[in-house]
Amino acid sequence: MALTHNIADIRKNYSRQALSEDAVLPDPVHQFKVWLTEAIQSEVLEPTALTLSTVNAAGRPSARVVLLKDVSENGFTFFTNYESRKGQELAQHPYAAMTFFWPELERQVRVEGHVVQVPAQVSDDYFHSRPKASQVGAWASPQSREIESRDVLEKAERNYTEEFASMHEIPRPKHWGGFVLQPDRIEFWQGRPSRLHDRILYELAPEGQSWHLKRLAP
């Protein structure tokens, strides 16, 4: 089937805002919070959505969209099935990259760093804050594994719903929980006219106590 448009001709000239070294905060996590707050206030679609990129033991990359659930001095936190493809790849190679894109603001943020599992209590607390249907779903779905049909999922969902019906609290599956990406590199990208975009990069110093800031060519 042929495309109905020549995608090579699709382009937009970015011109909403500028980004300078003088305009950003010294700490990139604080700067990220400023941009995330502006994205939320601007009602962009899915402001916490990010593309999470991982690699396996052979160095082959994969990427998928997940949702950011916390950002602090500890890093950027998301939750998943530890036995999923991303969970297994992070066990093999505990480094990842996150990409946030807010087209309404013509902004992109790239975050790279080391990834570790969050403490069990953090996973417990978040799991029990989720809707009951989502808690059941975490038990019902063998994420990333091949299944014969959707009926397999729906049957598992019914079975677990029945199993947990009399429980005051659904237990968190041991194979489900959080990861936190501890950043050592964060880049802020602001679209500009003529493809001469602004790129401000923060890199964590070797001692891990301070951030170095630089401008990159687009």
Side-chain angles (χ1 to χ4, degrees), residues 63-92:
R64 74 290 292 159
V65 176
V66 301
L67 298 178
L68 180 71
K69 290 302 178 181
D70 187 45
V71 57
S72 68
E73 297 307 312
N74 294 324
F76 296 71
T77 300
F78 63 96
F79 293 85
T80 189
N81 186 317
Y82 289 141
E83 297 176 353
S84 66
R85 180 177 179 182
K86 56 184 167 299
Q88 293 181 37
E89 291 184 347
L90 287 170
Q92 297 167 351

Side-chain angles (χ1 to χ4, degrees), residues 44-205:
V44 306
L45 184 64
E46 295 285 10
T48 62
L50 63 104
T51 299
L52 177 71
S53 301
T54 57
V55 296
N56 63 15
R60 179 165 181 159
S62 65
R64 74 290 292 159
V65 176
V66 301
L67 298 178
L68 180 71
K69 290 302 178 181
D70 187 45
V71 57
S72 68
E73 297 307 312
N74 294 324
F76 296 71
T77 300
F78 63 96
F79 293 85
T80 189
N81 186 317
Y82 289 141
E83 297 176 353
S84 66
R85 180 177 179 182
K86 56 184 167 299
Q88 293 181 37
E89 291 184 347
L90 287 170
Q92 297 167 351
H93 185 81
Y95 292 88
M98 294 177 166
T99 306
F100 297 84
F101 182 48
W102 301 308
E104 297 90 340
L105 300 177
E106 300 175 351
R107 286 175 172 174
Q108 176 180 220
V109 183
R110 300 168 62 189
V111 185
E112 302 172 24
H114 184 244
V115 180
V116 298
Q117 290 187 14
V118 303
Q121 187 61 55
V122 173
S123 292
D124 287 341
D125 291 345
Y126 176 69
F127 182 79
H128 293 128
S129 75
R130 305 176 86 207
K132 287 292 178 66
S134 296
Q135 295 180 38
V136 170
W139 281 96
S141 174
Q143 193 176 112
S144 299
R145 298 180 187 175
E146 182 180 357
I147 57 176
E148 293 181 359
S149 68
R150 183 171 179 83
D151 290 342
V152 172
L153 290 178
E154 294 178 351
K155 181 179 180 180
E157 181 185 33
R158 290 193 297 270
N159 291 342
Y160 279 115
T161 297
E162 182 178 347
E163 178 180 342
F164 297 136
S166 61
M167 293 187 180
H168 173 68
E169 183 175 84
I170 298 176
R172 174 179 64 87
K174 296 303 180 184
H175 60 261
W176 190 98
F179 283 108
V180 57
L181 186 153
Q182 302 166 333
D184 54 30
R185 182 183 175 100
I186 303 179
E187 180 190 321
F188 295 85
W189 179 99
Q190 178 70 60
R192 297 297 304 278
S194 304
R195 295 295 185 264
L196 297 178
H197 312 302
D198 289 327
R199 297 175 63 189
I200 302 296
L201 172 67
Y202 295 79
E203 289 184 309
L204 192 63

